Amino acid sequence: MPMLSVRDLTVSYGRLEAVRGVSFSVEAGQIVALIGSNGAGKSTTLKALIGLVPPASGQILLDGRDITRAAPAARVHAGIALSPEGRRLFGRMSVQDNLLAGAHGVGSRAVVRRMLDDIYALFPQVRERRSQLAGSLSGGEQQMVAIGRALMANPRLLMLDEPSLGIAPKIVAEIAGAIERINREKNMAIVLVEQNARLALRLSHRAYALEHGEIIRSGKGAELLADPFVQKAYLGV
Ligand code: ATP
């Protein structure tokens, strides 16, 4: 059974169907990429998965359990975490307090300490800046904090919305490396939403291309990288 199954998901904003009949699944330990241009419905899909927008129809199953109507906090508790587009940090709080804000329902201080140490090991420059205001960090560093905050919920399924957006290429490579390490070392499943299709397809085991709310292509990351349509539409080949 897949860890996550999305079946025929439709999400509407008024009369606009932003997501139309989308179906995909995520196996334990897999990186699954959702690619597509601006407004294709990628963020809306993630928001529906975490419970920030209600689906008009369809089903979301986590470990076979229907969570389509569950509250966001219940989904986080069940093991899903989202690092949202635009990072959404508390700019006037310290980096470490931003990370701690992600530790929902993690009871013991020792566990919180260990998770913080894990994140600092993953992103050493975040450790160096842990006492600084989050708003004073570079975009790339803020992105690391946003990913770290999602990790503090100790998820089994991590969803990342545009982690490379507006970030210098060198830092993008660092973040990509961190995504691979999180997946490999923690065997964590990851849903990666990216406009940087090349990056996402390289990192992912499986990928889906969305256009106007619909999946128009799917396959292994490597297969989509070699697909002439995908190359023309998303890779600038
Ligand atoms: P982007 O990378 O630009 O966020 P996306 O693929 O993530 O693109 P969505 O943000 O999911 O796309 O948007 C899908 C469609 O829904 C777009 O047409 C967008 O304008 C619309 N939309 C998104 N959020 C809202 C909202 N809160 N209210 C109304 N329409 C919205």
Side-chain angles (χ1 to χ4, degrees), residues 13 16 18 37-45 47 85 162 193 195:
Y13 297 113
L16 172 75
S37 36
N38 250 320
K42 308 179 298 296
S43 297
T44 299
T45 301
K47 285 181 190 158
E85 184 171 9
E162 302 272 11
V193 158
Q195 273 186 59

Side-chain angles (χ1 to χ4, degrees), residues 183-216:
N183 171 250
R184 221 171 335 113
E185 292 171 13
K186 302 184 186 298
N187 197 37
M188 197 179 288
I190 295 174
V191 177
L192 176 61
V193 158
E194 264 299 335
Q195 273 186 59
N196 183 341
R198 193 178 304 277
L199 174 79
L201 295 179
R202 275 194 196 135
L203 289 176
S204 63
H205 301 108
R206 236 193 130 65
Y208 298 83
L210 282 166
E211 266 327 308
H212 304 296
E214 290 178 298
I215 291 176
I216 54 157

